[in-house]
Amino acid sequence: MAVTALGLPSERVGGRRWSPEMVWGTIFVIPYVVVFLTLVIWPVAYGVWLGSGLASYRTLFSDPIYLKTVLNTAIFLGVGINLKLFLALLLSGYFASVRPWVRWLSVIFILPWAVPSIPTIFSFRWMLNSEWGMLNNLLWTLFGIEGPWWLVKPDYALGSVVFIHIWKYLPFWTLILLAGRMAIPTDLYEAARIDGASPLQQFWYVTWPQLKNLYITSLLLSTIWSLGDFNSVYLLTGGGPADKTHVLATLGIRYAFNLQQLGTGVATVMTALPILVPLVILLVRRLGGRVER
Amino acid sequence: MSLGSPAIHETIATTRPSTVRSGTFYAVRRVLSEGAFLLVGAAILIWTLLPIYHMVMLSLTPLSDSFAGRFWPENPTLENFRIVFAEDHFFLQDFWRQLGNSIFVALATMVMVLVVASLASFAIGRLKLRYGHVISNTALLTYLIPAAFVAIPFYVVMSDYGLLNSLWALIFAMSTFAIPYAIWVLRQYGDSVPFELDEAAKVDGATPLQIFYLVYLPLLRPALIAIGTYALLLAWNEYLYAFLLLSTEKQHTIPVAMGYFLVTDDAPWTLLMATAIIYSLPPAALYYAVRKYMVSGLTAGATKT
């Protein structure tokens, strides 16, 4: 009965659905839909299935390496991201200067971001070698200090990992925050100066309120990306010494491919979901609104 | 020029005799703050260049000197580069082939990302496809999944598809992670292109396909350059997926080949660094060539928050 009642209007809607725009639009999204279904949905669903065995989690939680890894990941994220973004905030102020040579410096400063990560991480790795590396040689020659065993002592190794992560990604975030600063109307600063605001007050009452949203978005985005930063850890320390510098991303790979336990590998990554899911929801809300507009 | 500014300040001060003292005070303060500024600049320069200098220095050091721990090469030589180009070492047997693999993967990824993303973004943004916002949101969601987290199931799925050890597996993987971002940037950028142009073309009798390549693509050129470069660099730089998906030496890309240098304790570090420099130069050059597009593309969405 509903069919007869809606017969005419639905035919009209049906006619509009297959306008040339709709036909072409449908054809145009097919490649994306195919990619999405076969290369995103299918692997993710497969992963959820692989990581759904409770036994994997029992193996995981009874492994001291896993507990150490969770702690490492927390340190890596907590120290690495905050330090990186705070430095980026300061440096974006530095690079906002009108001095011409600062523009040249910014061109050089972007190098760590422009160069692939493998070469520079390997360069660091040799530099940090406690016997032959340049850093300890430098410390000895300049200050007569016997440098620490950077990649041999777990704490120093993790510190080195955080350092290289900051070195690599600082330019990118500085650039983002610099773009944010440049978007602040200059008359706000003029008004503040007329009112006799010191540079610090100008930052606190003009720059920060305008930059706060961008800073928080950057913080969230950087947390997600850093959770997936495999290279900084794997290529510098390989998770060693004695598997003491793993983060979740590298430990998952170790279980799956070194120990042939695919389920435990996926389970390792799944334990990051309590942090990852809220972050993703927050970010989709923050960024998604603009896409739909 | 910047060093000249205190001097200018001083001349202004002397032309107004009543403020000479405060003028000198400001000039001194100016010099001090300029000095601090330069000092920070020097620190930034050292911070940025030290690892890169170390890489260059090592690549110019003879292989026999690699354990000397020097600050500059005492007997600089290009021998390491000759060995790399001549494939004259166990670890470098397939260097040219692997370089070719890297180039092929990067270019194929770029093409795939540009085609899929521009078509999809046109359908969503311009043709107002009915469930367009759903597609936008799935793309954004995919963009927020850390690639390293899906590496294990992706590997298994690629093995099911029979693509293990094929360069296409890596191309598909890299495209999967670059397409969502590309769609997002194109959607942002596309909104700034006036819709009236499409309407005018339509009135003149253009089909959607014609509007796509005669209006949409030319106007989005800057964004296409940015995401094309992004995809190219992403694929060129990838280590984890390349390492997992490509198993034989003939199929390796350069990053994987470099990783295998470290399987021995006495790795030939000088050769590794020479390879690293050869491998780093093309992406760095490309990045600087299209820097303007990259900066505006990357920050297109971010700064509007």
Side-chain angles (χ1 to χ4, degrees):
Chain A
M1 45 172 194
V3 176
T4 47
L6 295 171
L8 272 174
S10 85
E11 244 177 52
R12 200 168 54 82
V13 171
R16 214 181 43 182
R17 186 185 294 153
W18 295 109
S19 66
E21 277 76 21
M22 282 303 149
V23 175
W24 284 107
T26 310
I27 295 171
F28 279 14
V29 285
I30 285 174
Y32 172 75
V33 172
V34 170
V35 166
F36 185 69
L37 291 179
T38 56
L39 300 172
V40 179
I41 289 292
W42 182 228
V44 167
Y46 203 101
V48 170
W49 181 75
L50 273 176
S52 61
L54 278 179
S56 306
Y57 294 90
R58 229 167 281 137
T59 317
L60 204 58
F61 294 143
S62 59
D63 188 344
I65 293 175
Y66 173 74
L67 301 176
K68 176 77 182 148
T69 299
V70 171
L71 189 67
N72 288 346
T73 312
I75 294 171
F76 181 65
L77 295 180
V79 178
I81 295 167
N82 285 308
L83 200 57
K84 176 179 66 184
L85 281 172
F86 183 68
L87 285 174
L89 182 65
L90 294 183
L91 283 175
S92 68
Y94 183 87
F95 285 112
S97 154
V98 287
R99 294 167 177 79
W101 59 269
V102 167
R103 205 154 308 149
W104 282 106
L105 187 64
S106 76
V107 171
I108 296 170
F109 177 66
I110 206 74
L111 256 173
W113 172 247
V115 166
S117 53
I118 297 104
T120 46
I121 294 176
F122 280 172
S123 174
F124 261 114
R125 188 165 162 162
W126 188 237
M127 235 165 96
L128 292 173
N129 184 296
S130 34
E131 278 171 274
W132 318 107
M134 188 193 244
L135 193 65
N136 278 2
N137 265 318
L138 217 56
L139 286 177
W140 178 250
T141 317
L142 290 181
F143 310 108
I145 301 170
E146 196 95 49
W149 291 23
W150 296 104
L151 301 177
V152 181
K153 290 266 160 61
D155 291 346
Y156 282 109
L158 190 65
S160 307
V161 167
V162 171
F163 182 87
I164 185 124
H165 172 86
I166 295 176
W167 185 83
K168 167 79 187 167
Y169 295 103
L170 185 61
F172 174 78
W173 292 112
T174 306
L175 215 65
I176 295 286
L177 293 176
L178 180 60
R181 274 179 194 264
M182 292 309 193
I184 300 172
T186 44
D187 35 325
L188 287 179
Y189 289 104
E190 264 159 46
R193 259 196 299 272
I194 289 165
D195 290 347
S198 69
L200 207 64
Q201 284 172 321
Q202 283 179 36
F203 173 80
W204 191 244
Y205 293 107
V206 180
T207 312
W208 179 244
Q210 299 275 322
L211 218 57
K212 199 166 73 181
N213 253 329
L214 178 61
Y215 191 83
I216 293 168
T217 306
S218 304
L219 206 65
L220 297 174
L221 210 50
S222 173
T223 308
I224 289 187
W225 286 343
S226 305
L227 259 175
D229 186 4
F230 173 88
N231 285 0
S232 296
V233 180
Y234 185 82
L235 296 172
L236 193 68
T237 69
D243 288 317
K244 282 194 168 128
T245 59
H246 276 293
V247 290
L248 289 174
T250 57
L251 190 69
I253 299 295
R254 170 183 173 267
Y255 275 123
F257 295 100
N258 296 5
L259 307 176
Q260 316 298 331
Q261 300 173 14
L262 288 182
T264 318
V266 176
T268 310
V269 170
M270 296 278 264
T271 56
L273 290 186
I275 308 170
L276 194 60
V277 170
L279 281 173
V280 168
I281 292 171
L282 272 173
L283 271 169
V284 167
R285 283 214 186 126
R286 277 175 164 261
L287 302 171
R290 272 179 294 123
V291 176
E292 277 189 54
R293 222 190 326 109
Chain B
M1 219 183 133
S2 51
L3 287 171
S5 41
I8 292 164
H9 205 274
E10 235 166 5
T11 30
I12 294 166
T14 43
T15 52
R16 288 186 298 164
S18 60
T19 55
V20 163
R21 185 167 294 166
S22 69
T24 331
F25 170 74
Y26 279 120
V28 168
R29 213 175 77 168
R30 200 64 203 269
V31 167
L32 280 179
S33 84
E34 202 62 34
F37 215 87
L38 278 168
L39 220 61
V40 174
I44 291 172
L45 207 62
I46 293 172
W47 155 280
T48 303
L49 290 180
L50 192 63
I52 292 165
Y53 168 75
H54 178 253
M55 187 160 80
V56 174
M57 189 270 294
L58 218 55
S59 78
L60 298 174
T61 304
L63 193 52
S64 53
D65 269 12
S66 23
F67 289 96
R70 297 218 167 88
F71 303 129
W72 52 84
E74 238 145 74
N75 313 297
T77 169
L78 290 173
E79 175 67 5
N80 294 315
F81 290 92
R82 188 202 63 79
I83 294 174
V84 176
F85 288 135
E87 302 184 330
D88 208 2
H89 192 276
F90 173 73
F91 287 116
L92 292 159
Q93 282 169 16
D94 295 299
F95 173 76
W96 288 106
R97 163 104 197 201
Q98 288 159 347
L99 190 69
N101 290 344
S102 276
I103 293 170
F104 177 71
V105 168
L107 288 177
T109 304
M110 181 184 79
V111 172
M112 188 165 163
V113 169
L114 284 176
V115 170
V116 175
S118 63
L119 286 174
S121 70
F122 181 71
I124 301 164
R126 295 275 140 165
L127 300 178
K128 302 291 172 199
L129 195 69
R130 192 169 294 176
Y131 296 103
H133 65 281
V134 177
I135 291 175
S136 276
N137 283 336
T138 59
L140 183 57
L141 217 58
T142 312
Y143 177 52
L144 296 176
I145 303 175
F149 278 23
V150 278
I152 299 164
F154 203 95
Y155 173 86
V156 180
V157 167
M158 278 299 148
S159 140
D160 286 349
Y161 292 163
L163 286 172
L164 280 192
N165 203 27
S166 154
L167 293 178
W168 285 102
L170 184 57
I171 292 163
F172 289 150
M174 292 301 100
S175 302
T176 305
F177 296 115
I179 286 168
Y181 175 70
I183 290 180
W184 193 58
V185 170
L186 288 177
R187 289 278 291 109
Q188 299 275 329
Y189 196 92
D191 284 350
S192 66
V193 176
F195 208 74
E196 288 75 31
L197 290 168
D198 296 39
E199 298 290 339
K202 209 172 143 186
V203 168
D204 289 347
T207 64
L209 188 63
Q210 285 170 320
I211 297 175
F212 175 69
Y213 68 76
L214 292 176
V215 179
Y216 190 71
L217 288 187
L219 285 172
L220 259 68
R221 212 178 72 100
L224 291 171
I225 291 173
I227 60 161
T229 310
Y230 170 80
L232 195 84
L233 294 181
L234 190 79
W236 179 270
N237 295 349
E238 179 60 18
Y239 176 78
L240 172 61
Y241 275 81
F243 166 71
L244 292 179
L245 296 169
L246 309 171
S247 45
T248 61
E249 272 141 52
K250 291 242 182 278
Q251 294 299 87
H252 284 168
T253 53
I254 295 287
V256 184
M258 283 170 62
Y260 276 102
F261 269 73
L262 300 183
V263 293
T264 58
D265 282 336
D266 54 343
W269 276 91
T270 58
L271 291 176
L272 178 58
M273 289 295 112
T275 314
I277 286 171
I278 297 163
Y279 165 74
S280 305
L281 282 177
L286 176 68
Y287 180 87
Y288 280 105
V290 300
R291 201 170 94 252
K292 281 203 177 75
Y293 300 104
M294 293 302 284
V295 174
S296 59
L298 285 170
T299 55
T303 51
K304 283 187 206 152
T305 321

